[in-house]
């Protein structure tokens, strides 16, 4: 199983970006999908998660600005980021808890990261 994240780039403060992350390989279903980020010199932190039932959870710092969504049929998770601030600059990683077979164990997979830079 591989996760491919893309959509990062350079954006001005106040701008928007949309990140995508698609899982490929032997997958039965996704349980939870999410985004984390790691800024230079800081620990990786949770940005947002979404369950297979559509329940979402956001870090306080991004509430009202970021929206996570998922497509279970495509095993893809998205992160729409609006009103971006310089402090949102980080490498963004996608994370998925996946089952390979019905009622099988959950496996945790991470994408390779995509850099988001918010700067004028």
């Amino acid at each position: 199983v591989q996760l491919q994240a893309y959509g990062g780039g350079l954006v001005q403060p106040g701008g928007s970006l949309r990140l995508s992350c698609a899982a490929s390989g032997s997958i039965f279903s996704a349980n939870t999908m999410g985004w984390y980020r790691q800024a230079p010199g800081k620990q990786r932190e949770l940005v947002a998660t979404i369950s297979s039932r559509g329940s979402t959870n956001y870090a306080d710092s991004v509430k009202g600005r970021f929206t996570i969504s998922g497509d279970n049929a495509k095993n893809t998770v998205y992160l729409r980021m609006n009103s971006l601030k310089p402090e949102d600059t980080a490498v963004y990683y996608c994370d998925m808890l996946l089952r390979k077979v019905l009622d099988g164990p959950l496996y945790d997979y991470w994408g390779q990261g995509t850099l988001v830079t918010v700067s004028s």
Side-chain angles (χ1 to χ4, degrees):
V1 175
Q2 290 187 329
L3 271 60
Q4 181 68 43
Y6 49 95
L10 174 64
V11 62
Q12 293 187 341
S16 298
L17 280 176
R18 186 194 193 212
L19 305 183
S20 302
C21 176
S24 61
S26 180
I27 301 167
F28 177 78
S29 65
N31 179 270
T32 303
M33 300 185 286
W35 290 93
Y36 292 73
R37 66 185 181 187
Q38 187 167 18
K42 295 187 177 181
Q43 290 187 332
R44 189 174 298 189
E45 63 177 3
L46 169 73
V47 176
T49 61
I50 184 167
S51 74
S52 58
R53 296 184 178 183
S55 298
T56 58
N57 179 51
Y58 294 93
D60 288 342
S61 59
V62 307
K63 282 181 181 177
R65 300 188 298 122
F66 291 11
T67 302
I68 189 170
S69 60
D71 186 333
N72 291 331
K74 296 181 179 180
N75 295 316
T76 301
V77 62
Y78 307 95
L79 185 68
R80 176 67 179 180
M81 305 184 292
N82 295 329
S83 303
L84 283 160
K85 305 175 181 180
E87 50 263 44
D88 294 317
T89 295
V91 177
Y92 284 70
Y93 298 90
C94 57
D95 173 48
M96 294 189 189
L97 291 175
L98 303 171
R99 297 186 195 276
K100 295 185 177 182
V101 296
L102 177 64
D103 293 330
L106 289 170
Y107 294 91
D108 191 10
Y109 291 96
W110 289 84
Q112 84 286 4
T114 184
L115 177 62
V116 173
T117 303
V118 185
S119 175
S120 56

